[in-house]
Amino acid sequence: MMPPGQRTAPPARPPVDGASTPAGSSLSDGLLTVVLVSSLSLVLLLCAPSLRHWLMAPVTVSGILIGVDTVRWFRQRTDIFDPRAYLGLTGFHFFYLTPVLHITLDHWSPRIYDPPDWPNAIGAMAVLNTVGLCVYRLVVALPSRRGRRHRLSARLGVRAFCRIALFAAAISFGAFCLELAMFGGVSGFVDVMTGSFERPELAGLGWFLLLTEAFPLLVVAAVLTRWRATLARRPGLLVLLLVALAVTQFFVSGLKGSRSSTLWPVLLCLIMVHLLVRRISRRSLFVVAAVLLVYLYGYGLYKSAGIDVLDVVKGDRSVEQVSADTGRDLPTMLTGDLGRADVQAVLLDRHLHGQAPLTLGSTYLNAFTTLVPDSLLPWQPMSKVEAGTRLLYGPSALEGDQRSSKVYGLAGEAMINFGPLGAVIAFALFGLLVRAVRAYYLQAARRPDLAPKLLAPMVWTLVGVLSADLDNVVFFQLKYTLPMALVVLAARHAQRGPLPSGTRLVPPARKAAHRAPAGAR
């Protein structure tokens, strides 16, 4: 008989720990990656004359350096949500496919001031990426200290967590109801959110908006922990829970103009399911990814056309007509939304021609001051909007109404602040971050403790900094990680004291033989 609050999930296979892959397997993965990526480049060169340029050499090397983790994922040598494997999957598009698409489609960000010679600029950025990825691979390949272990507490009870999570969700939901009242109810809220993407009505509500958007994920976390055994036996309920989360997130925060406000919570939910309830198959993940890509494309239309996008549903206009009117087509999604190649190439070209004064960390500092009231800050550091607008649209662009809303990514923001050398250093720091995140995730996946399984998905999202800027990362951590961490901390505090009689902790020496369920304890 288990003590109150201690429920177990059905047995699940332990996740694959890619850290223990034999050297021979790693060598075969590397050789296979070289063959596959080189063959793909050769086919592209034969089929697309525009790619017969020296840029394909560094682009191919970049694809090989990041693609080896993609090959390992497809060969099922890593856990399905291994952070390094995720970077291999998304990074192959980021470093290899995006530059190829730009060149073959001749598709570039509009209104760039004094645009560079694009093939040469893309090639120069590919060279910088190759250097940075070499540094990244050296850092992640460094041997780890076997003696160091993250302290993963097993003292978090299910009932304590669920009570506190639902209490915090109730406070957040109350704040959201107050937000609805501020805009005249549901209809007024929808009118404001679907009207203009400037939304001056939301100015000054930063911290309040963070509070209003926290409840959906907290509720889902409580449901997954409380009923994980039932959900493991009935995957249909998991699908309904995932759909409910996506719909709720879209209404609560997605209408405000941020597609990531829906995408990331869905991804966090998937990782929590994988760690707490049952392992998610690669086939299921492909289905989810396809649905999310359709959403990403549809949201791009909504972001440009607003509520008029419903004309497609009504049959008044076709998707092609809305795409043509808004400029939001499939190439824009693949190169602009899922890549940063042309924007980063412009930034590097500006530096190489001495047209980019360094901001020396101002945009990083600004990322931590965005939620601080202006009255408390006598001086505001330069934002990425101001710096990016000058670099992309010209020195006089700020005098008009044009502003850059671009996201520059890890290397792009580093170049804005410290030039090309800063980008290489950023890759080294990123490698250290990936090592730490991966170590925490894999330990959380192997151990039966509840708290790390709830926090690991939040920590996991830090690897998204590759294609994000620091202000995006800070805002995300405040929006999703902080509420979950506070609830876990409060639940651990409530659980302090002697363990309930009958509670059994798995001795370290018996972990392998015990084969603890992924969601137990």
Side-chain angles (χ1 to χ4, degrees):
M1 175 76 80
M2 292 296 294
Q6 302 292 329
R7 296 176 180 267
T8 60
R13 290 182 298 158
V16 178
D17 185 352
S20 58
T21 303
S25 299
S26 298
L27 179 60
S28 67
D29 292 335
L31 292 175
L32 181 59
T33 305
V34 171
V35 172
L36 290 176
V37 178
S38 300
S39 300
L40 178 58
S41 294
L42 181 60
V43 171
L44 290 172
L45 288 172
L46 294 174
C47 297
S50 59
L51 292 176
R52 296 166 191 171
H53 188 276
W54 65 266
L55 69 88
M56 283 302 294
V59 166
T60 301
V61 176
S62 295
I64 292 171
L65 289 170
I66 198 68
V68 64
D69 291 323
T70 308
V71 170
R72 295 186 64 213
W73 189 87
F74 276 102
R75 299 183 78 182
Q76 301 187 24
R77 299 188 189 277
T78 64
D79 183 274
I80 189 172
F81 287 111
D82 186 310
R84 225 164 74 187
Y86 165 81
L87 288 171
L89 291 165
T90 58
F92 187 75
H93 176 87
F94 193 88
F95 293 109
Y96 183 88
L97 295 180
T98 299
V100 168
L101 288 171
H102 274 300
I103 298 296
T104 54
L105 300 175
D106 195 25
H107 186 87
W108 312 100
S109 293
R111 302 185 301 277
I112 297 295
Y113 167 78
D114 190 18
D117 176 51
W118 286 114
N120 288 328
I122 290 291
M125 189 64 216
V127 171
L128 183 62
N129 284 333
T130 298
V131 175
L133 286 172
C134 286
V135 173
Y136 164 77
R137 294 230 70 95
L138 287 174
V139 172
V140 297
L142 291 174
S144 58
R145 298 181 183 179
R146 294 290 181 181
R148 294 190 63 184
R149 297 284 182 181
H150 292 281
R151 298 182 62 184
L152 307 180
S153 172
R155 300 293 299 278
L156 181 63
V158 173
R159 289 186 177 179
F161 172 77
C162 290
R163 285 196 301 264
I164 296 174
L166 292 177
F167 177 75
I171 295 176
S172 173
F173 182 72
F176 177 66
C177 291
L178 179 59
E179 182 184 12
L180 292 178
M182 290 170 55
F183 294 107
V186 174
S187 60
F189 175 81
V190 172
D191 289 341
V192 171
M193 299 309 155
T194 58
S196 166
F197 278 90
E198 297 297 327
R199 298 192 186 89
E201 299 90 345
L202 300 180
L205 298 178
W207 285 102
F208 178 72
L209 294 179
L210 291 179
L211 178 62
T212 63
E213 299 174 12
F215 71 89
L217 196 59
L218 290 176
V219 171
V220 167
V223 171
L224 289 176
T225 54
R226 177 63 177 82
W227 289 288
R228 59 190 186 276
T230 301
L231 292 170
R233 295 191 300 268
R234 304 181 65 180
L237 293 178
L238 284 173
V239 175
L240 290 177
L241 183 65
L242 193 67
V243 172
L245 173 64
V247 172
T248 305
Q249 279 291 155
F250 179 76
F251 180 78
V252 171
S253 55
L255 284 175
K256 297 172 183 174
S258 172
R259 77 200 90 190
S260 62
S261 296
T262 302
L263 292 175
W264 277 108
V266 169
L267 182 57
L268 290 173
C269 180
L270 285 172
I271 299 174
M272 279 193 280
V273 168
H274 185 69
L275 294 177
L276 283 166
V277 181
R278 57 182 293 154
R279 291 189 62 188
I280 295 176
S281 67
R282 282 166 171 76
R283 181 180 300 176
S284 300
L285 192 61
F286 280 128
V287 173
V288 174
V291 173
L292 292 181
L293 285 174
V294 172
Y295 165 79
L296 189 63
Y297 179 70
Y299 194 95
L301 297 178
Y302 163 71
K303 194 166 184 177
S304 298
I307 199 67
D308 291 340
V309 76
L310 293 179
D311 290 342
V312 176
V313 180
K314 298 175 184 177
D316 297 337
R317 288 195 293 173
S318 66
V319 174
E320 291 78 9
Q321 288 174 324
V322 177
S323 296
D325 293 341
T326 60
R328 301 291 307 188
D329 51 13
L330 188 60
T332 299
M333 184 189 79
L334 294 176
T335 60
D337 298 337
L338 300 178
R340 309 283 183 262
D342 58 342
V343 172
Q344 291 184 352
V346 172
L347 297 178
L348 178 59
D349 187 77
R350 302 283 194 246
H351 280 287
L352 294 178
H353 289 85
Q355 301 172 344
L358 302 180
T359 62
L360 301 177
S362 290
T363 73
Y364 293 135
L365 183 60
N366 182 268
F368 293 100
T369 63
T370 52
L371 294 176
V372 179
D374 293 341
S375 58
L376 299 180
L377 289 176
W379 169 76
Q380 278 281 1
M382 181 182 295
S383 68
K384 71 173 187 181
V385 174
E386 181 180 352
T389 299
R390 289 176 175 174
L391 290 171
L392 297 181
Y393 304 138
S396 61
L398 290 172
E399 300 174 4
D401 296 330
Q402 191 172 19
R403 294 291 184 274
S404 170
S405 59
K406 300 289 187 183
V407 177
Y408 303 96
L410 175 76
E413 189 172 17
M415 282 191 289
I416 290 176
N417 287 278
F418 301 108
L421 180 59
V424 176
I425 296 174
F427 273 102
L429 297 177
F430 182 62
L432 295 175
L433 176 65
V434 171
R435 285 171 59 93
V437 170
R438 185 171 187 261
Y440 189 87
Y441 173 84
L442 292 178
Q443 288 198 51
R446 288 195 301 264
R447 299 281 297 273
D449 313 351
L450 178 61
K453 293 181 185 299
L454 291 165
L455 294 177
M458 312 299 163
V459 175
W460 188 97
T461 59
L462 288 172
V463 298
V465 73
L466 175 66
S467 59
D469 299 332
L470 185 60
D471 63 335
N472 307 125
V473 176
V474 171
F475 186 75
F476 181 89
Q477 299 304 316
L478 291 175
K479 190 175 183 179
Y480 300 114
T481 303
L482 182 61
M484 187 68 70
L486 291 176
V487 169
V488 169
L489 183 63
R492 286 184 59 184
H493 180 76
Q495 193 71 15
R496 284 180 182 175
L499 286 174
S501 60
T503 301
R504 296 176 64 247
L505 298 180
V506 183
R510 296 176 56 194
K511 284 190 299 182
H514 185 78
R515 310 292 278 185
R521 292 182 178 80

